Amino acid sequence: MLRTFRTLLFSSAVWMLTAPALADKLEQAIDTETRTLSEAARSQKKIDRLDDATRRMLDEYRHALREIESLKTYTAHLKTLVESQRREKADLARQIEEIASAEQQIVPLMLNMVTALERLVQLDTPFLPEERRQRIAQLKAMLDSAETSTAEKFRRIIEAYQIENDYAHTIEAYRAELALGDETRPMDFLRVGRVALFYLTLDGKSAGLWNARQERWETLPDEYLRPLSQGLRIARKEAAPDLLTLPIPAPEVEQ
């Protein structure tokens, strides 16, 4: 009993001596574990941040890849457009050269056409003389104008030729001054194509025919006064078309 008691006393003494040391060790262990857990938590947060950053970078990378593909497609399209524009530019340059060359040839042609048209009016039956001379004068002024394009000049000349051509297929009545001898007075004129040109005095008492061969006016017999008056009314659309008996100059026969 005494030994047992001594053993217990010894154990208690040992326990009393080692308890503080164990407490210190336990506290140190707890501190170490706490620090370890804190470090682990910080590491996890860091890992989480790195993971988020990695995801963002991956998303940005994928987005960049999509943009690169889009840019590749757009660049290929631009290359096609540039090539097309190069071809169009070459075509335009060739057309400009052709236009410049054509313009060098067409300008003398237009000058000759206006000269020929003026000569035609001078030698033709003298109907609408003032109107036709004025048309020629306008064409000449237009040819010297820098404001009118070559295409417009050519169009206007062709239009003048068309007007002259149409005279051969129409009849027309108009009033104008006519000089006969020393007297100039207004007359009614009847043009039948380019075949014949007549005049009738306003009182209807005298008529005449242009003699192209002799280039002068000839007085007509009174029997033509009524047909001429009727012809004027038909040309003015004041009467229905009808047959007229009028003298028509015979064509010249070459010897």
Side-chain angles (χ1 to χ4, degrees):
M1 291 290 293
L2 182 60
R3 182 177 295 177
T4 303
F5 179 72
R6 289 178 179 175
T7 300
L8 290 173
L9 289 176
F10 177 79
S11 298
S12 299
V14 172
W15 168 253
M16 293 177 64
L17 290 174
T18 59
L22 290 173
D24 291 340
K25 289 183 179 180
L26 180 60
E27 187 176 350
Q28 290 176 1
I30 292 172
D31 291 341
T32 301
E33 184 66 20
T34 300
R35 287 195 299 271
T36 301
L37 290 175
S38 297
E39 290 294 333
R42 285 195 293 271
S43 298
Q44 185 61 45
K45 289 180 179 179
K46 188 175 182 180
I47 291 170
D48 291 342
R49 287 196 299 271
L50 290 174
D51 186 56
D52 291 341
T54 302
R55 285 197 182 93
R56 286 196 299 272
M57 291 177 65
L58 181 60
D59 291 340
E60 290 175 359
Y61 174 72
R62 289 172 177 170
H63 180 70
L65 286 179
R66 288 194 294 270
E67 286 191 344
I68 290 172
E69 289 300 320
S70 178
L71 287 174
K72 285 181 179 179
T73 303
Y74 183 62
T75 301
H77 177 65
L78 286 181
K79 286 181 179 179
T80 303
L81 288 179
V82 170
E83 186 61 30
S84 175
Q85 289 174 350
R86 285 201 188 106
R87 290 195 298 269
E88 291 178 3
K89 182 179 178 181
D91 289 340
L92 287 174
R94 187 183 68 255
Q95 291 175 21
I96 290 172
E97 291 179 359
E98 292 175 353
I99 289 172
S101 176
E103 188 169 352
Q104 291 177 357
Q105 299 176 17
I106 201 171
V107 170
L109 173 63
M110 290 191 298
L111 291 171
N112 291 335
M113 290 175 71
V114 172
T115 300
L117 193 61
E118 182 179 26
R119 186 63 176 161
L120 169 66
V121 172
Q122 291 172 351
L123 298 177
D124 199 12
T125 304
F127 60 88
L128 300 172
E130 190 61 31
E131 177 183 319
R132 297 167 79 193
R133 281 194 293 267
Q134 185 177 0
R135 187 180 298 118
I136 298 298
Q138 290 173 348
L139 290 177
K140 286 183 174 181
M142 179 192 65
L143 287 176
D144 295 334
S145 173
E147 297 180 357
T148 308
S149 67
T150 302
E152 177 63 14
K153 291 176 181 179
F154 190 74
R155 187 193 69 78
R156 294 276 297 278
I157 293 172
I158 294 299
E159 184 180 72
Y161 267 83
Q162 186 61 53
I163 291 172
E164 290 291 333
N165 181 66
D166 290 343
Y167 287 141
H169 311 290
T170 58
I171 64 171
E172 182 180 15
Y174 64 94
R175 184 167 293 181
E177 297 283 334
L178 178 64
L180 290 176
D182 298 331
E183 184 181 8
T184 299
R185 54 178 175 163
M187 301 282 189
D188 284 327
F189 290 87
L190 176 65
R191 175 183 60 80
V192 181
R194 273 195 160 88
V195 177
L197 180 63
F198 306 93
Y199 75 79
L200 181 67
T201 58
L202 299 186
D203 59 12
K205 294 181 179 180
S206 180
L209 167 69
W210 174 256
N211 188 322
R213 187 176 301 178
Q214 299 180 9
E215 295 186 353
R216 64 183 182 86
W217 291 99
E218 292 182 353
T219 303
L220 290 176
D222 290 347
E223 63 182 283
Y224 294 113
L225 296 178
R226 184 179 294 275
L228 265 177
S229 179
Q230 181 67 9
L232 287 167
R233 295 181 67 242
I234 293 173
R236 292 175 181 140
K237 299 187 182 341
E238 297 173 353
D242 197 0
L243 293 175
L244 299 174
T245 302
L246 293 171
I248 300 297
E252 281 190 39
V253 177
E254 295 183 0
Q255 298 289 329

